[in-house]
Amino acid sequence: MPEQARAEWDDVRLKRERLQGLQGEMKRLGLGGLYISDGVNLHYVLNLKIPGAKLFVPAEGEPVAFVRPRDAGYVSMQHERIMPTLYSNTWEPANDEKLDRFAQTIADLMAEHGAAGEPLGVDPLEAPAFHALVRAGVPVADARPAIERAKSIKTQDELAIYRLIGEQYSTTYTAFREAIRPGATEKELAVLVGAAWYEAGGDDVLQLNVCAGEHMNPWRRWPTQRALQAGEFVGIDFHAGGVHGIRGDVSRTFFVGDPPSAEQRDLYRQAWDYLEATTDAFRGGRAIADVVKAVPPVGPEYYEQLYNYNIGHPIGLTPSGYPHVDKDKRPVDDVLKPGQVFAVECYFGAKGSPLAVKLEHMIVVRDGEPEILDAAVPFDERLL
Amino acid sequence: MLMEKTWDDQRLKRERLARLQASMREHKVGALYLMDGVSVRYALNLRIPSAHVLVPADGEPIAFVRSLDEGYVRLAHSSVRRHIYRADPTDPEADQKALRWADELNELMTEFGVGGEVLGVDSADPVAFLALNQREFRLANAEKIMESAKQVKTQDEVLIYWELGKLYTEIMRFFRDSLAPGITEQEMVSLTYSKVVSLGAEGLLQINVCSAENANPWRRWPTERRFQDGDLVGIDLHVYGPGGYIFDSARTYLCGDRDSEEQRNLYRRAYEYNNSVIQLLRPGLSIGDFKASLPSVPEDFQELLYSFHVAHSNGLTPGEYPSIMKAHKPVDDQFKVNQVLSVDCYFGRVGDGVAVKLEEQVLLTADGAVKMADMPYDDRLLR
């Protein structure tokens, strides 16, 4: 990882600003506390990945992490308030009695923070744990509106990490492009991309689609032993894990061999034009309904498969989030805000045809035109 | 490719579903509604992001998928529908949508002939739970039913694990032979990842590489620390194999060649403990008796050793049932043929800065536990 990039973010400030954002949303939505079971949400709040852990977040003050003894060692080096896990696997008989103690402990923590009787936001949790909270008389609400809205605006340090991720995509996709040749299999290319990502200092390979030829339409997702052939497209859609689990999401399509047909060039050009115009529609302060209106029209043959995808979706620690921008759903009643990070999608392929082009930008919303994080990731200029 | 396709995917799906539906009938559950990705994969033998599945006690499960996944899912499964309800926490109509979903579930259960029976749910969002409660569903914990089905592997699951065992044999040799002073933990992760996927694995769930003092306490996540001559380097590896099966094993090796007597003693202790625990395992032995017969361990090693499992099952998730912790009350059950277990072992004293981690994945056969990989130890530390 380039040392210069590393110097551009501050881990302690990142954690602090995330918590401030989340607690602000909790107060706005009237939540007295959150009980978080989802590993990714926990990772978000603590900026730490802890398998099997849970978390209580008060509307003010330090969150309490519930961790297994084997993880207490390294967690206590980075977070002040930890307690042993209250229950582990709900399928173990011994846990039936633990669940009531769990609910009581959470009620006590709410009281300790002056929030007794206020709603407790929870994210998806196991049926017995949910019922234990209900039995203990804790008013249960959905934690995710607060979490999702907080996550939607990236902190300054998250944006610095995203800029590094953009650079890492550039070296990784360049390696992918250079390895394209007739005879190479989708799997071989996937292996190479994963290795290139780690070499670029990436942390994790989260989802990697490599599809060649007719595997691009319908988009088959998972790479196979199919070998590339001269005269066809090969597409890549890669969700990569960067620093602290922050995810990127970028797609490209390249041509195998040379030269492309007029039909291939035309499809690629249409897809690229659409993507660039759509990307430009993502502007800070613009209502989501207006973003949808600003998206250019597309031919009826491409419409259905294109809008099986979102126009754009936020990314962060998860591959999507709030607010979605979709074609045929009622638009979210909100405006785009500076600091949101979106993947802008584009899939051009007629139903029944084996031919398709998949492209995807990763952008930061700001006032005026967006910042394109994958600006250095190549397109196939032979097709433009 | 190192791994060969020895298993039958269709039979795997069929036999796994048969086990799941038998477990449902035993627990008197009419249907399961599964929202967790791994549970969905278990029921369908397909990886579908954001999908749900309704599993009736008899009949073909219905996959609920997003429009963008419909294409390839239909190629592999016959009963596919668009989502009725998918939690969008910021949707102002989420509550009404969830209620309509609950009503449709009711109708689907009636179509399957299990109307009004108990519905098993795994992990759901509160909006879904509240809707099910409001519609007066009788709910059960689906995780309990799934774990009971998953604990004994079908013939094809066992075949997949034997292939993954070959991969682990190869990977641990590679890891041992690649260690050299000057390499960082993170670089070692990158090298190991490339090797793992080039040998045919689906991906990595978790890789811990911890060297010298980073192994005690076990820091899990790799750092930029460079190996030095005489370091003990531990690797704990969770690899996704074919079908999403997770293999889980660990080893510790000496980097360079300056080992100490203290390291050798610790290694020998860990090696002997781990292998004697494996020898205890046999079908028919109760979990309580197993725990009572564990080898004795000096007190200064107990805290860290027992912060890990004694043994746990693996499947599409690590740490399935049976999951045996020293401090937990043993479940009233016994080991069974075709269970796949990882036997944990971590030897280090609190505050000592040195540790040895070994972990072995075994199959329970009528004759006892058999190691599923032939991963090398560090012979220099066993002299």
Side-chain angles (χ1 to χ4, degrees):
Chain A
M1 184 187 307
E3 281 304 316
Q4 198 184 347
R6 170 176 300 283
E8 284 170 18
W9 73 84
D10 175 337
D11 286 337
V12 174
R13 183 175 58 186
L14 184 151
K15 180 177 170 184
R16 187 179 64 235
E17 292 187 354
R18 273 186 185 168
L19 183 64
Q20 282 166 356
L22 178 61
Q23 290 178 327
E25 286 297 333
M26 289 168 65
K27 283 174 212 144
R28 201 175 63 78
L29 294 167
L31 296 170
L34 303 180
Y35 179 72
I36 292 178
S37 321
D38 179 83
V40 176
N41 288 337
L42 179 138
H43 189 168
Y44 179 79
V45 181
L46 297 180
N47 194 25
L48 198 54
K49 184 161 67 162
I50 320 171
K54 316 269 171 164
L55 186 69
F56 173 78
V57 185
E60 254 171 85
E62 273 301 287
V64 183
F66 303 100
V67 302
R68 300 179 297 178
R70 81 193 73 161
D71 291 301
Y74 69 90
V75 175
S76 58
M77 294 172 176
Q78 290 168 79
H79 188 73
E80 212 166 288
R81 208 163 163 199
I82 65 173
M83 286 172 72
T85 323
L86 296 169
Y87 65 91
S88 45
N89 303 312
T90 64
W91 35 267
E92 283 178 5
N95 271 304
D96 292 349
E97 50 207 76
K98 288 186 189 166
L99 284 163
D100 285 321
R101 280 206 301 275
F102 142 74
Q104 194 50 53
T105 305
I106 297 301
D108 292 346
L109 281 169
M110 291 286 278
E112 177 196 322
H113 288 90
E118 289 179 27
L120 172 78
V122 301
D123 58 4
L125 83 169
E126 309 92 335
F130 177 82
H131 286 115
L133 288 170
V134 172
R135 269 200 309 278
V138 177
V140 178
D142 197 345
R144 293 165 308 157
I147 297 172
E148 288 301 323
R149 281 171 206 274
K151 279 163 133 178
S152 140
I153 312 285
K154 306 305 185 244
T155 72
Q156 53 186 324
D157 298 295
E158 291 179 304
L159 289 177
I161 291 172
Y162 261 115
R163 289 184 186 110
L164 171 65
I165 288 175
E167 290 168 30
Q168 292 169 322
Y169 264 94
S170 164
T171 48
T172 304
Y173 275 37
T174 302
F176 172 76
R177 184 185 189 169
E178 284 167 0
I180 292 172
R181 57 173 173 81
T185 67
E186 292 170 348
K187 275 230 173 189
E188 283 165 14
L189 289 173
V191 167
L192 177 132
V193 167
W197 178 252
Y198 280 109
E199 224 155 88
D203 272 24
D204 215 345
V205 173
L206 299 163
Q207 195 187 107
L208 178 48
N209 300 164
V210 175
C211 298
E214 75 287 350
H215 283 187
M216 295 184 70
N217 190 0
W219 185 253
R220 304 283 208 285
R221 279 184 180 271
W222 317 119
T224 70
Q225 298 293 354
R226 185 189 180 288
L228 272 54
Q229 293 163 26
E232 66 184 17
F233 284 134
V234 57
I236 175 170
D237 185 352
F238 179 30
H239 295 191
V243 172
H244 298 322
I246 294 177
R247 299 172 76 118
D249 183 4
V250 174
S251 301
R252 287 291 187 271
T253 295
F254 297 102
F255 188 68
V256 186
D258 209 35
S261 70
E263 187 195 3
Q264 287 165 330
R265 271 202 307 273
D266 177 57
L267 189 67
Y268 199 91
R269 178 90 221 180
Q270 284 190 56
W272 187 81
D273 285 343
Y274 168 87
L275 178 69
E276 296 305 312
T278 303
T279 301
D280 191 60
F282 282 70
R283 287 167 182 251
R286 190 176 268 182
I288 288 168
D290 293 333
V291 177
V292 176
K293 275 186 213 141
V295 170
V298 295
E301 68 273 39
Y302 304 126
Y303 192 96
E304 180 181 344
Q305 298 214 89
L306 172 61
Y307 293 122
N308 277 344
Y309 295 86
N310 308 110
I311 294 172
H313 61 85
I315 48 176
L317 292 189
T318 51
S320 84
Y322 175 85
H324 273 204
V325 182
D326 289 309
K327 183 70 181 174
D328 290 323
K329 289 185 189 156
R330 201 170 60 195
V332 177
D333 183 18
D334 206 345
V335 296
L336 293 187
K337 299 183 185 86
Q340 288 176 329
V341 173
F342 277 88
V344 182
E345 306 230 44
C346 166
Y347 177 90
F348 268 63
K351 219 172 180 178
S353 158
L355 205 60
V357 171
K358 193 172 199 303
L359 306 170
E360 187 175 24
H361 267 320
M362 180 168 68
I363 62 161
V364 185
V365 175
R366 55 188 182 188
D367 296 327
E369 61 186 28
E371 173 184 353
I372 299 183
L373 291 164
D374 60 326
V377 177
F379 286 91
D380 196 330
E381 68 285 340
R382 294 170 300 174
L383 295 150
L384 293 171
Chain B
M1 280 282 166
L2 176 75
M3 296 194 290
E4 291 163 56
K5 179 81 193 282
T6 51
W7 65 94
D8 177 334
D9 281 317
Q10 289 305 321
R11 185 175 60 187
L12 171 85
K13 180 177 174 182
R14 197 171 60 236
E15 293 187 356
R16 218 159 58 176
L17 181 63
R19 285 197 58 85
L20 180 58
Q21 291 179 323
S23 171
M24 290 167 68
R25 289 189 288 269
E26 194 185 310
H27 286 87
K28 300 193 170 36
V29 160
L32 299 180
Y33 193 82
L34 305 174
M35 301 196 185
D36 176 79
V38 177
S39 305
V40 171
R41 187 166 191 180
Y42 186 81
L44 298 174
N45 195 25
L46 268 180
R47 184 161 59 146
I48 322 168
S50 302
H52 298 169
V53 63
L54 178 70
V55 185
D58 270 296
E60 191 70 359
I62 303 175
F64 295 98
V65 304
R66 300 176 298 176
S67 54
L68 72 160
D69 292 307
E70 218 173 331
Y72 70 91
V73 175
R74 281 198 187 281
L75 299 175
H77 187 72
S78 58
S79 183
V80 183
R81 301 190 189 189
R82 296 271 175 99
H83 273 290
I84 309 172
Y85 163 76
R86 223 178 112 228
D88 175 357
T90 46
D91 180 353
E93 290 175 2
D95 295 349
Q96 289 81 33
K97 285 182 183 165
L99 285 171
R100 281 202 296 276
W101 161 76
D103 291 336
E104 286 208 43
L105 271 188
N106 216 345
E107 284 169 27
L108 287 171
M109 285 179 71
T110 305
E111 281 172 32
F112 279 118
V114 293
E117 291 187 27
V118 174
L119 175 71
V121 177
D122 55 354
S123 179
D125 61 87
V127 179
F129 272 128
L130 293 167
L132 292 172
N133 275 358
Q134 201 172 329
R135 290 295 187 253
E136 296 177 345
F137 271 79
R138 290 189 294 144
L139 298 183
N141 182 9
E143 290 187 340
K144 210 167 211 161
I145 296 154
M146 306 255 329
E147 290 301 318
S148 154
K150 285 152 101 176
Q151 60 168 310
V152 169
K153 302 297 184 261
T154 70
Q155 50 187 328
D156 295 293
E157 293 176 293
V158 171
L159 287 170
I160 287 176
Y161 268 127
W162 281 122
E163 294 307 307
L164 264 170
K166 290 188 198 168
L167 182 138
Y168 267 68
T169 301
E170 203 58 35
I171 285 298
M172 290 303 185
R173 284 188 190 147
F174 170 82
F175 188 86
R176 177 195 61 186
D177 298 342
S178 306
L179 283 180
I183 300 180
T184 70
E185 291 172 353
Q186 281 179 350
E187 284 164 1
M188 210 54 210
V189 164
S190 164
L191 283 174
T192 308
Y193 168 82
S194 300
K195 187 73 179 174
V196 164
V197 288
S198 68
L199 290 174
E202 204 177 86
L204 275 187
L205 168 69
Q206 198 185 106
I207 176 169
N208 304 158
V209 172
C210 299
S211 60
E213 72 275 6
N214 282 355
N216 185 355
W218 186 252
R219 304 283 158 87
R220 276 188 182 269
W221 316 119
T223 70
E224 290 182 0
R225 184 186 180 281
R226 288 186 193 285
F227 302 147
Q228 292 164 20
D229 195 358
D231 281 354
L232 290 183
V233 183
I235 172 170
D236 189 344
L237 185 65
H238 296 74
V239 166
Y240 284 115
Y245 281 91
I246 292 161
F247 202 102
D248 177 13
S249 282
R251 279 290 184 266
T252 296
Y253 298 106
L254 176 73
C255 177
D257 44 21
R258 289 187 3 202
D259 56 312
S260 68
E261 194 183 336
E262 187 199 1
Q263 289 171 331
R264 284 195 301 275
N265 283 340
L266 201 60
Y267 203 87
R268 163 73 59 186
R269 249 181 225 288
Y271 170 84
E272 283 172 359
Y273 168 86
N274 197 225
N275 283 288
S276 44
V277 174
I278 291 167
Q279 277 169 15
L280 292 172
L281 290 165
R282 58 181 166 78
L285 175 69
S286 80
I287 292 173
D289 288 346
F290 166 68
K291 285 184 67 173
S293 53
L294 287 173
S296 65
V297 170
E299 212 183 322
D300 43 351
F301 293 111
Q302 289 183 10
E303 179 176 340
L304 293 178
L305 173 64
Y306 298 137
S307 75
F308 292 89
H309 288 91
V310 178
H312 62 81
S313 180
N314 294 312
L316 297 185
T317 48
E320 297 187 346
Y321 177 82
S323 159
I324 302 160
M325 296 286 293
K326 177 79 172 174
H328 290 180
K329 200 163 67 184
V331 179
D332 181 19
D333 199 357
Q334 46 184 237
F335 293 110
K336 302 175 184 80
V337 169
N338 281 347
Q339 285 182 328
V340 167
L341 300 168
S342 278
V343 183
D344 257 325
C345 165
Y346 178 92
F347 268 74
R349 299 178 180 89
V350 174
D352 210 9
V354 186
V356 173
K357 197 172 200 302
L358 302 172
E359 186 179 18
E360 198 76 36
Q361 184 158 323
V362 300
L363 173 71
L364 289 196
T365 71
D367 299 328
V370 184
K371 292 182 179 180
M372 299 202 87
D374 183 20
M375 303 174 294
Y377 292 97
D378 197 321
D379 296 332
R380 296 167 299 176
L381 297 167
L382 287 173
R383 281 183 304 212

